[in-house]
Amino acid sequence: MPSWQQAMEAARAAVNGGIAVLEIVRSTPGVFEVLQALANEYPTKAFGVGTVLTAEDAKTAMKAGAKFLMSPATVNDILDDVRDTDVLYMPGVMTPTEIYSAHNAGAKIVKIYPVSALGGIRYISAIRKPFSHIPMVASQGITIDSVGDYIAPGAISVVLSDAIFDKEAMNQNNFDVVNRLATSAAVQGKIAVERKKR
């Protein structure tokens, strides 16, 4: 099965499992074509591109229908390019200075990356205290079972790429596993958000 077709089937399995917001990493073969096809097939879902490191890639992603962009670092050219658009850019940040600087430069949401290497849930809990006004997405190394643990101390969302797109399942083109993992992740996300509202 061609890589772009595998990406399409895996994305369909995740969306059909209940995932409403899906990041397609830049390294995915045919990423922009896959994005455009998914955006056309599922117009009520939000698809974006992750690991975007250049303004050129950001512009191509936006033309293909990306609703959001993510980077592992803050790329100021991308931040400038999305300023007057409806596309959300979530730059990757680690330190308090990076969080503050990205937000001050115009980022509406920041992506704490790599969160597991920074201390995971404890880091989110600690960093939210001085920056409670800055929405944060936790990314990297998060398991489906820990979604609620990240949402409770203040993450508004989590990135579950590896948890949903299980390496073994992907190697075997086992999209039923991807669908089951996506269903489980969607349920855990809903539970976590409801719990936080109380």
Side-chain angles (χ1 to χ4, degrees), residues 5-20 22 38 41-42 45 47 164-166 169-170 173-186:
Q5 189 178 354
Q6 182 189 48
M8 283 293 297
E9 293 303 320
R12 285 181 181 125
V15 171
N16 292 334
I19 301 300
L22 185 69
L38 289 169
E41 193 171 328
Y42 300 95
K45 307 298 182 192
F47 297 100
I164 293 173
F165 300 101
D166 177 78
M170 293 298 292
N173 292 322
N174 189 339
F175 305 117
D176 289 338
V177 169
V178 172
N179 179 267
R180 282 196 301 274
L181 292 170
T183 300
S184 178

Side-chain angles (χ1 to χ4, degrees), residues 14 22 35 39 48 50 53 63 67 73 76 81 96-97 101 108 114 124 127 138 141 143 145 167 175 179-180 186 197:
L22 185 69
L35 167 67
L53 295 172
K63 285 179 189 165
K67 300 282 189 222
N76 289 320
D81 287 345
T97 300
S101 296
K108 294 177 178 78
I124 291 290
I127 207 71
T143 64
D145 293 341
K167 193 177 212 164
F175 305 117
N179 179 267
R180 282 196 301 274
K197 286 180 182 177

